[in-house]
């Protein structure tokens, strides 16, 4: 017995187990993958250090593991596991080919001499092929040898399942009824109907090869799984972009015919796609036309580049949030003339300490102040959409643009941190994000998010809510604008605010109050003290 | 330098290339076909499939005439006029290539003679009598392959490849065939009928690898008389050209003297000879150009087909790919989704196979059922005095759909098409067995093999009940 733990996996801690590839009782080979873990940067498979049988699993999908975390208990096998399959596909760990192991596995009955059975009026027929060899495991009815007379070829099947101990015949021999073919040690377990030692003679021969023995293998080869459709139907399906594996055939023996493909397309156009995975309840179907299929290369040179891993991960989430949350975006602006002046007077200080005092740090503090006043913006809908979960902590997510895509690290407990602390933390997490060193934990637990495009430009935009949060603040580029102060137009530095909110939770008036209050806090930062 | 503008340029005019070019033209694309030789048709028409069949046919008729002695018809020893035979072969080739040239003209395909190579992603230069540039929107690379060489063999007119062998310069007394694949054994058959004694040396442990052993065994037994020695798992290490002949050293054997050595050790794709890098087209380390199911290379407006696009290197695969690529270039949604590509050795008897082989099924563990109909039970085969063959069908064990098969016997290459069609159509044993096959034909053996699988064949001894 041996406990298998997570080996040195580099600089990772608390990586999530996304897949467990073995289960108790599985026979595994050395180097076979046991579990798959996923960090924000990579997926990796942890291989078995040796061969054996899994006794007990110590982890589950979703667990966070680090170096040294126990994975499972392995009963090591004395013999090396089948060397023929060094790296089995991770998804399908193969069970040990059960009856195949020669020797100890087949504890069993008396050895059986298999003889040439009654083959009709034939004598001295030539053996043209010996299909098994000593050590082979054979199934009942499996062909052992092929005989060829001047009239026909026939194969002699095995009368029982077992392991071939000795071959008594060779290619070229002339045989008749009763000639010994081989000695078979019938297997006790595994193969049914093996315990029939009395039946010494094999059943009558088949004139052709019988069905090949069930070799322990992966189930089906691709050619077999292919849909039953002729080339013209396959061509037709290609033209319409139909996956024939999904089409039910109405022809003889389930053959897919032209009308089946047409019916499938009609059905698909009229069908209800999977309802949006949002809250339960009667989701309406999106009856969308097919995505335009354009051969871009027809119009000029193109290059196909895969989405980055980050984009692939983020895309479906963004899409879900965008279609399933009723977004409304409230626009407002804040006068940050004084705040900007205040920030500037303090920048020298922080730069000495090695970080920048950014407007974003003030924004975070200001948002926390507003969130305290408007707790519905700091909550989530529970899973069944019936309760609000109001959070008593203020973790602010900050969207950071990286070359690979967007990430949203979280500044935790922003209510308990000073502006300098927040600014310092921001500069650290932005660097981590750009260096791709953020850990999954750094991006979890947010209660409200800010997406700032102020450094780049724009006057307003409509950010997508980072579910299960219910609101996100978008910030565009501040600009000096003439503002009427009652007597005259004065130049003021105005910051555009775009607040997207979940209309199921927040109504328009609340959102307007939120941005108005936020603007007033940014207008006079001393309000954060109130 | 003159420059031509076109929608599609096709590089190479072998069966894949001309099929692609003609299909492009038929789809309304302005097409240029580049060929380095003065005649169209590539290896297949000029120095491959067609001339070898002209000679194999001649050899087969000679052998058949001789066999008639047993039927009481004797012709006496044949008189061979090599020059005339060569002329016949050249006439066959000429008829086909000139046919191609006139069809190119009828389709208004511009044929450029010269060696073509890319100079950029949309440009090709052709070095012929003069240099011509081609500016293209799409390109189809059909540059083919050439016979692989053994580096240790000296340069000597008596050491030949299949192209030289087809030139039919002389009939050597004793020839060594290096490489026991289809090409070597076909050429060996021709020469042996014309009087040459053969030895074969092959590195692997069987002749015509790829075909099931039971098929090859029948051929080997029938042809045993042609060979003095078949050396398997043997490596040719050295050869020395002497006045008396070529002295060849084979591992573990005494060096032996041959009048000629035919080298047929495979073919090498021409991917590296076309300036692919200038167009940004990826070529793998063996010289193949990787393609997708539309035969697009990594550069989306450049396609590759035929030998240069991967194994198997067969003309009929190239033609099919040529059509796919041409249609894809014309914006159609054509894909290569044929399930099987048949293979044929035009030896005597012929060996043909398609789809899953028994050997493959054994290795991959796919469950199959096999039915083998021996030609000793075929009236037609017996009447032809050629009943050594058999027809084997390989079915999916569960669905009983045909997934492959093999035939050995006269005309096997012509019979295999029915199996290929059945696989493509997803026909099962009943479909094939219930199709009426004319009697007495060799094709009947296909229907009977299916009946055998079903247990309803009445042309063989009664079967054990399943």
């Amino acid at each position: 017995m041996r406990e298998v733990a997570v080996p040195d996996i580099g600089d990772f801690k608390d990586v999530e187990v996304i897949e467990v590839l073995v289960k108790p009782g599985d026979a595994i080979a050395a180097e076979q993958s046991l579990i798959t873990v996923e960090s924000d940067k990579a997926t990796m498979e942890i291989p078995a250090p040796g061969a054996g049988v899994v006794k007990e699993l110590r982890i589950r999908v979703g667990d966070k593991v680090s170096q040294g975390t126990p994975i499972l208990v392995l009963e090591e096998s004395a013999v090396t596991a089948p060397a023929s399959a060094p790296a089995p596909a991770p998804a399908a760990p193969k069970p040990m080919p059960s009856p195949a192991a020669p020797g100890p596995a087949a504890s069993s009955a008396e050895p059986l001499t298999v003889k040439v059975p009654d083959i009709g009026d034939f004598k001295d027929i030539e053996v043209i092929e010996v299909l098994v060899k000593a050590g082979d495991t054979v199934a009942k009815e499996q062909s052992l040898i092929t005989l060829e007379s001047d009239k026909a070829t026939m194969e002699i099947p095995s009368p029982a399942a077992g392991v071939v101990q000795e071959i008594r015949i060779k290619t070229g021999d002339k045989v008749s009824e009763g000639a010994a073919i081989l000695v078979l040690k019938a297997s006790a377990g595994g193969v049914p109907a093996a315990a029939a030692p009395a039946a010494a003679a094999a059943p009558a021969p088949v004139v052709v090869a019988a069905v090949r023995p069930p070799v322990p293998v992966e189930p089906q080869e691709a050619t077999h799984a292919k849909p039953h459709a002729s080339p013209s139907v396959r061509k037709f399906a290609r033209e319409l972009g139909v996956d024939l594996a999904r089409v039910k055939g109405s022809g003889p023996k389930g053959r897919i015919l032209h009308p089946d493909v047409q019916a499938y397309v009609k059905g698909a156009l009229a069908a209800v796609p999977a309802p949006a995975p949002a809250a339960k309840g009667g989701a309406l179907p999106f009856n969308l036309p097919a995505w335009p299929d354009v051969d871009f290369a027809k119009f000029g040179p193109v290059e196909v580049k895969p989405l980055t891993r980050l984009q692939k991960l983020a895309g479906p989430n963004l899409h879900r949030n965008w279609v399933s949350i009723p977004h409304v975006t409230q626009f407002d602006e804040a006068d940050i003339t004084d705040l900007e002046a205040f920030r500037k007077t303090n920048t020298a200080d922080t730069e000495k300490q090695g970080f920048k005092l950014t407007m974003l740090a003030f924004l975070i503090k200001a948002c926390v102040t507003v969130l305290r006043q408007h707790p519905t913006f700091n909550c989530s809908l529970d899973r069944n959409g019936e309760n609000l979960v109001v959070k008593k902590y203020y973790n602010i997510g900050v969207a950071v643009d990286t070359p690979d895509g967007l990430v949203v690290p979280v500044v935790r407990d922003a209510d308990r941190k000073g502006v300098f602390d927040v600014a310092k933390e921001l500069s650290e997490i932005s660097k981590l994000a750009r260096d791709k060193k953020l850990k999954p934990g750094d991006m979890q637990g947010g209660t409200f998010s800010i997406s700032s495009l102020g450094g780049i430009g724009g006057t307003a935009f409509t950010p997508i809510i980072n579910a299960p949060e219910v609101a996100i603040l978008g910030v565009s580029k501040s600009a000096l604008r003439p503002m009427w102060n009652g007597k005259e137009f004065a130049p003021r530095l105005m910051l555009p605010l775009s607040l997207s909110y979940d209309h199921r939770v927040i109504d328009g008036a609340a959102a307007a109050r939120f941005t108005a209050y936020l603007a007033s806090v940014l207008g006079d930062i001393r309000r954060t003290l109130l | 330098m003159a420059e031509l503008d076109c929608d599609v340029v096709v590089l190479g005019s072998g069966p894949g290339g001309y099929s692609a070019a003609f299909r492009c033209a038929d789809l309304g694309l302005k097409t240029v076909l580049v060929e380095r030789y003065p005649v169209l048709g590539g290896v297949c028409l000029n120095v491959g499939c067609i001339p070898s069949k002209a000679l194999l046919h001649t050899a087969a008729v000679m052998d058949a005439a001789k066999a008639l002695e047993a039927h009481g018809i004797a012709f006496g020893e044949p008189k061979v006029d090599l020059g005339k035979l060569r002329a016949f072969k050249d006439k066959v080739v000429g008829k086909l290539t000139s046919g191609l040239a006139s069809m190119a003209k009828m389709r208004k395909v511009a044929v450029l003679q010269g060696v073509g190579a890319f100079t950029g992603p949309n440009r090709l230069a052709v070095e012929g009598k003069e240099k011509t540039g081609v500016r293209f929107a799409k390109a189809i690379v059909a540059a083919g392959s050439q016979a692989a060489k053994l580096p240790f063999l000296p340069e000597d007119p008596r050491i030949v490849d299949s192209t030289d062998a087809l030139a039919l310069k002389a009939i050597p007394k004793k020839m060594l065939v290096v490489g026991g694949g289809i090409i070597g054994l076909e050429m060996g058959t021709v020469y042996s009928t014309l009087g040459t004694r053969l030895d074969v040396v092959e590195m692997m442990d069987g002749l015509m690898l790829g075909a099931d052993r039971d098929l090859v065994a029948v051929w080997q037994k029938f042809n045993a008389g042609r060979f003095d020695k078949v050396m398997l798992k043997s490596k040719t290490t050295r050869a020395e050209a002497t006045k008396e002949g070529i002295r060849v050293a084979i591992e573990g054997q005494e060096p032996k003297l041959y009048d000629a050595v035919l080298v047929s050790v495979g073919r090498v794709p021409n991917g590296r000879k076309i300036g692919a890098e200038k167009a940004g087209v990826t070529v793998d380390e063996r010289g193949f150009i990787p393609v997708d199911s539309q035969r697009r290379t990594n550069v989306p407006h450049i396609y590759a087909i035929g030998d240069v696009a991967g194994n198997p290197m067969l003309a009929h695969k190239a033609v099919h790919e040529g059509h796919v690529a041409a249609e894809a270039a014309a914006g159609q949604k054509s894909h290569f989704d044929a399930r099987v590509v048949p293979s044929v050795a035009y030896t005597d008897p012929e060996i043909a196979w398609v789809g899953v082989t028994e050997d493959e099924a054994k290795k991959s563990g796919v469950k199959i059922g096999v039915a083998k109909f021996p030609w000793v039970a075929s009236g037609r085969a017996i009447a032809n005095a050629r009943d050594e063959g058999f027809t084997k069908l390989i079915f999916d064990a569960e669905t009983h759909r045909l997934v492959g098969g093999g035939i050995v016997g006269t005309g096997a290459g012509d019979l295999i098409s029915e199996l290929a069609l059945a696989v493509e159509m997803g026909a099962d044993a009943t479909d094939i067995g219930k199709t009426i096959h004319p009697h007495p034909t060799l094709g009947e053996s296909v229907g009977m093999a299916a009946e055998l699988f079903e247990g309803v064949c009445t042309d063989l001894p009664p079967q054990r009940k399943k």
Side-chain angles (χ1 to χ4, degrees), chain B residues 372-453:
Chain B
K372 209 161 150 182
F373 184 86
W375 286 17
V376 285
S378 155
R380 183 59 184 277
I382 295 168
N384 289 354
R386 290 299 299 268
D387 61 2
E388 74 278 3
F390 65 82
T391 298
K392 176 168 79 173
L393 302 186
I394 300 174
F395 297 97
D396 180 313
E398 264 167 49
T399 62
H400 291 190
R401 269 191 234 155
L402 191 73
V403 293
I407 303 174
V408 54
T410 49
D414 291 302
L415 300 178
I416 201 71
S417 303
E418 182 182 1
L419 272 57
L421 177 65
V423 173
E424 293 292 349
M425 294 297 292
D428 64 18
T430 313
D431 295 332
I432 300 169
K434 294 282 183 212
T435 299
I436 296 178
H437 290 71
H439 177 78
T441 59
L442 297 173
E444 207 178 3
S445 67
V446 175
M448 288 188 177
E451 287 182 343
L452 188 59
F453 183 78

Side-chain angles (χ1 to χ4, degrees), chain A residues 204 224 228 234 253 255, chain B residues 372 396 424-426 431 464:
Chain A
H224 291 221
H228 189 19
R234 291 183 337 240
K253 297 159 193 156
R255 180 195 293 274
Chain B
K372 209 161 150 182
D396 180 313
E424 293 292 349
M425 294 297 292
D431 295 332
R464 193 171 57 101

Side-chain angles (χ1 to χ4, degrees), chain A residues 225-527:
Chain A
K226 283 187 177 157
H228 189 19
S230 69
S232 70
V233 171
R234 291 183 337 240
K235 177 172 187 278
F236 182 52
R238 284 273 195 200
E239 280 163 2
L240 296 174
V242 170
D243 176 5
L244 280 176
R246 293 159 181 264
V247 180
K248 209 170 162 308
S250 68
K253 297 159 193 156
R255 180 195 293 274
I256 300 168
L257 308 175
H258 278 261
D260 296 329
V261 178
Q262 285 164 333
Y264 177 83
V265 172
K266 272 186 202 153
L269 289 175
V272 179
K280 66 171 186 182
L284 286 168
F286 292 98
N287 193 358
L288 302 172
W291 194 258
D293 185 10
V294 179
D295 179 10
F296 299 105
K298 214 159 110 183
F299 307 105
V302 298
E303 185 190 350
V304 177
K305 275 171 94 172
L307 289 177
T308 64
R309 193 175 134 67
L310 210 50
Q311 285 173 313
K312 280 191 207 154
L313 285 172
N317 288 336
L318 286 166
H319 187 215
R320 174 199 61 203
N321 297 351
W322 195 75
V323 300
S324 67
I325 301 173
H327 280 71
V328 181
T329 306
Q330 169 75 20
F331 301 106
D332 209 334
E333 53 186 9
D335 181 342
I336 55 164
T337 318
D338 299 339
L339 179 56
E340 177 62 9
F342 177 64
R343 185 185 73 85
K344 276 190 176 153
T345 58
N346 288 289
T347 48
D349 263 11
T350 64
E351 258 153 41
K352 260 180 248 159
Q353 297 175 45
F355 63 93
K356 267 192 189 158
L357 181 61
T358 56
M359 184 54 74
L360 187 56
F362 287 102
L363 267 166
I364 289 174
K365 286 304 289 178
C367 282
V368 169
T369 305
V370 182
L371 288 168
R372 282 173 188 275
Q373 294 288 320
H374 297 274
T376 42
F377 288 80
N378 200 49
C379 72
S380 289
L381 263 179
D382 72 1
R383 196 179 279 255
N384 53 25
E386 286 172 3
N387 301 293
L388 272 184
V389 180
V390 183
K391 285 157 240 171
K392 306 290 186 186
Y393 50 88
Y394 300 89
N395 294 345
I396 311 298
V398 182
V400 178
D401 179 37
T402 75
D404 284 347
L406 187 70
V407 291
V408 188
V410 172
V411 177
R412 281 171 204 287
D413 300 316
D415 55 324
R416 285 187 260 152
K417 288 175 181 162
V419 176
F420 278 12
D421 296 334
V422 170
K424 195 171 166 194
E425 195 172 330
L426 276 175
S427 94
E428 285 163 7
I429 56 179
S430 313
K431 184 168 188 314
L432 284 178
R434 287 184 187 112
D435 296 348
K436 299 193 218 173
K437 286 202 175 138
L438 283 176
K439 301 187 194 83
D442 294 339
M443 291 180 283
Q444 290 166 358
T447 60
F448 181 85
S449 295
I450 299 177
S451 172
S452 174
L453 300 178
I456 305 168
T459 55
F461 65 105
T462 56
I464 296 177
I465 295 165
N466 188 16
E469 295 164 22
V470 294
I472 181 168
L473 178 70
V475 181
S476 301
K477 190 177 174 67
S478 58
L480 267 179
R481 304 244 305 273
M483 298 303 287
W484 187 253
N485 63 12
K487 290 182 288 209
E488 59 188 356
F489 282 105
R492 304 298 292 178
L493 187 63
M494 303 304 290
L495 180 70
L497 305 173
S498 310
L499 178 79
S500 291
Y501 57 91
D502 184 340
H503 207 347
R504 294 171 300 178
V505 178
I506 295 159
D507 58 31
R513 279 186 214 109
F514 184 99
T515 53
Y517 186 44
L518 178 60
S520 80
V521 173
L522 291 170
D524 188 344
I525 201 69
R526 288 172 302 178
R527 289 188 209 270

Side-chain angles (χ1 to χ4, degrees), chain B residues 212-222 351 408:
Chain B
D212 271 333
R213 295 297 91 193
D214 54 352
L215 296 164
V216 179
V218 169
W219 168 83
Q220 212 163 341
K221 198 169 160 190
F222 192 84
I351 300 180
V408 54

